[in-house]
Amino acid sequence: MRPSMACQNSPSTGSFLALSSDCTEAKRLCLKDSVCNTTYQTLENCSSAKTHPISLDHDARAKCLDAELAIRSSPLLRCKCRRRMRRQEHCLRIYWTVHSSLMHGYMNMETSPYKDPANKEPKEMDYNRLAALVSDSNLAGDNTNHCLKATHICSMNKKCVRWRTAYASICTRGAEAGETCNRLMCHKGLRHFFEKVHEDFTKRLLFCPCENEVCGERRRKAIVPECSFQESIKPNCLSLWHACVQDNICKSRLADFQHNCQPADVSPDGCPQHTHAACLQAYLGMIGTHMTPNYISNSSVAISLWCTCESSGNQKEECDQILGMFISNKCLKNTIQSQMHLNRTTQEGQAELSYTPSQSIHGRSTSTSLASGMIQEMKVKTNEDISEHSSLPRASSVYSGAGLSWPCPVLLLLPLLLSPR
């Protein structure tokens, strides 16, 4: 009997129909059913063979095909994972085991492994209250620098400043000595920040509207691009894509991004069903992965990957598609500009790819000099910054690092990220 028929007619399959929305729970119940268990184990072996250089003979390929057909009648096929859930990577591994057939080719992951986000998060955050407090204090500074204001507000929220300080210390570690940063740990720290801190804070730090390059520099450097984004030599975009699809987290975030930010020419705003909120959340999910995007300069709101399509050979078209998801994506462009509340004139002016010699990004060669500048600036400003924040009781101990055991050299590397300019 073919597995597809057995799985479909298995009497215990219906026992977890109602609970199948969570992949972790769906797998647990599937393994209790002998037929579903066998089918899933086969898919695990097939999925491993696809992601490793393992050659399958004709019989093995036939078994994989039968298992893929069989699982289509199982509730496992409809399971999803939740953003910010515990053991998220385990849940995603189950999802991609069941959906391994979706990985045949480029630009073919338009189904997100994540459940649709709720309209509102259950807990109301205090961003507006803190924003009002900053506006009424001497921390407001230049009212035109919205990125600086967002940094001050983050510093007054315990969770925001804790996780921001955490990733900043990891991503700048070794910069003073000119050492290469630990990109994997930097990416992990960034993912933790965007997963654990409320979007009221994260999206304002990353999508703050700017009127000058001082503000734009703070916005561009919010993710510590010297470690998380840039390399001394731009890799081919195909290399980034291949690294991404070998990693369940990156692959899932990419699928979510493609699903929610897929351009729609028939829509006035370029997004299917006007899903700006979903696209914004999907974009934030890409930060801290192999395909981390960022602003291309201090004077632009244009987004790109740090990669090139030169020397792509006969895969130039596929490479252009990968890069085009970010540099020529109407939905993503309008989503970011909508978040920044830019008017049409500003959109047209700021969306141009504009570079100046002083602000161009040249890769890791800039990392050491930038870190040195950060260190010198911190020597002058550290005490002043902490003193300023001490006038606000809730923010003072958090901003100065109380409760966190950061070594002194690490504190000297954070001025551009965590202190006013």
Side-chain angles (χ1 to χ4, degrees), residues 2-4 39 43 64-74:
R2 291 176 64 89
S4 57
T39 302
L43 284 175
C64 290
L65 179 59
D66 282 346
E68 289 176 6
L69 293 174
I71 210 68
R72 291 180 183 178
S73 60
S74 164

Side-chain angles (χ1 to χ4, degrees), residues 9-309:
N9 296 323
S10 175
S12 60
T13 299
S15 65
F16 57 99
L17 279 169
L19 298 173
S20 62
S21 60
D22 187 301
C23 289
T24 304
E25 181 65 13
K27 177 190 172 183
R28 186 182 70 82
L29 295 171
C30 169
L31 297 184
K32 291 182 177 181
D33 174 77
S34 59
V35 177
C36 188
N37 189 339
T38 301
T39 302
Y40 183 81
Q41 299 300 333
T42 301
L43 284 175
E44 274 196 320
N45 295 332
C46 298
S47 178
S48 177
K50 287 179 181 179
T51 56
H52 296 85
I54 301 174
S55 178
L56 297 176
D57 58 28
H58 179 271
D59 290 341
R61 287 196 296 272
K63 288 181 180 179
C64 290
L65 179 59
D66 282 346
E68 289 176 6
L69 293 174
I71 210 68
R72 291 180 183 178
S73 60
S74 164
L76 264 173
L77 192 69
R78 296 186 291 276
C79 76
K80 297 273 189 176
C81 299
R82 290 177 287 106
R83 295 171 176 82
R84 306 187 180 200
M85 70 182 295
R86 296 183 63 184
R87 302 188 69 197
Q88 180 183 160
E89 191 165 4
H90 174 68
C91 181
L92 293 173
R93 188 181 303 115
I94 298 169
Y95 177 90
W96 289 113
T97 295
V98 176
H99 293 85
S100 60
S101 60
L102 294 180
M103 293 307 303
H104 295 162
Y106 294 93
M107 302 293 291
N108 199 29
M109 298 186 297
E110 296 179 8
T111 300
S112 174
Y114 293 106
K115 295 181 181 179
D116 292 333
N119 292 332
K120 289 185 178 180
E121 295 193 31
K123 184 178 179 181
E124 291 294 330
M125 301 301 292
D126 59 351
Y127 187 91
N128 291 334
R129 181 180 64 81
L130 294 177
L133 186 60
V134 167
S135 297
D136 294 338
S137 72
N138 62 347
L139 292 179
D142 181 3
N143 289 325
T144 64
N145 194 330
H146 298 286
C147 295
L148 178 61
K149 182 178 179 179
T151 301
H152 285 313
I153 295 170
C154 174
S155 73
M156 297 167 61
N157 176 270
K158 290 183 179 181
K159 182 174 285 189
C160 186
V161 75
R162 173 191 172 191
W163 290 106
R164 195 161 187 259
T165 303
Y167 84 72
S169 66
I170 295 170
C171 298
T172 57
R173 191 170 295 155
E176 182 181 10
E179 299 174 0
T180 302
C181 73
N182 188 329
R183 173 167 290 198
L184 290 179
M185 292 303 296
C186 178
H187 280 171
K188 186 175 182 179
L190 281 165
R191 292 199 305 271
H192 284 168
F193 174 73
F194 286 104
E195 289 173 357
K196 296 178 183 297
V197 179
H198 197 279
E199 281 187 19
D200 277 351
F201 296 90
T202 59
K203 68 184 181 182
R204 285 174 171 86
L205 284 166
L206 208 62
F207 304 115
C208 39
C210 290
E211 299 177 13
N212 54 62
E213 291 196 17
V214 173
C215 174
E217 182 182 28
R218 179 175 289 275
R219 179 175 62 195
R220 182 179 65 82
K221 291 184 177 179
I223 65 168
V224 198
E226 296 78 28
C227 184
S228 68
F229 179 67
Q230 299 162 215
E231 294 185 72
S232 57
I233 300 175
K234 283 189 176 183
N236 189 282
C237 299
L238 293 167
S239 298
L240 290 187
W241 188 88
H242 283 297
C244 184
V245 297
Q246 298 298 317
D247 178 85
N248 284 326
I249 290 287
C250 186
K251 179 167 56 178
S252 300
R253 304 296 175 85
L254 178 60
D256 191 51
F257 177 78
Q258 286 184 302
H259 176 71
N260 289 303
C261 299
Q262 186 72 25
D265 293 334
V266 296
S267 175
D269 62 358
C271 294
Q273 302 177 350
H274 311 287
T275 54
H276 278 179
C279 180
L280 196 71
Q281 186 176 56
Y283 175 85
L284 292 175
M286 292 300 299
I287 298 173
T289 70
H290 294 287
M291 296 181 66
T292 294
N294 198 25
Y295 298 100
I296 63 170
S297 76
N298 299 335
S299 57
S300 173
V301 295
I303 296 293
S304 181
L305 298 173
W306 185 263
C307 65
T308 178
C309 284

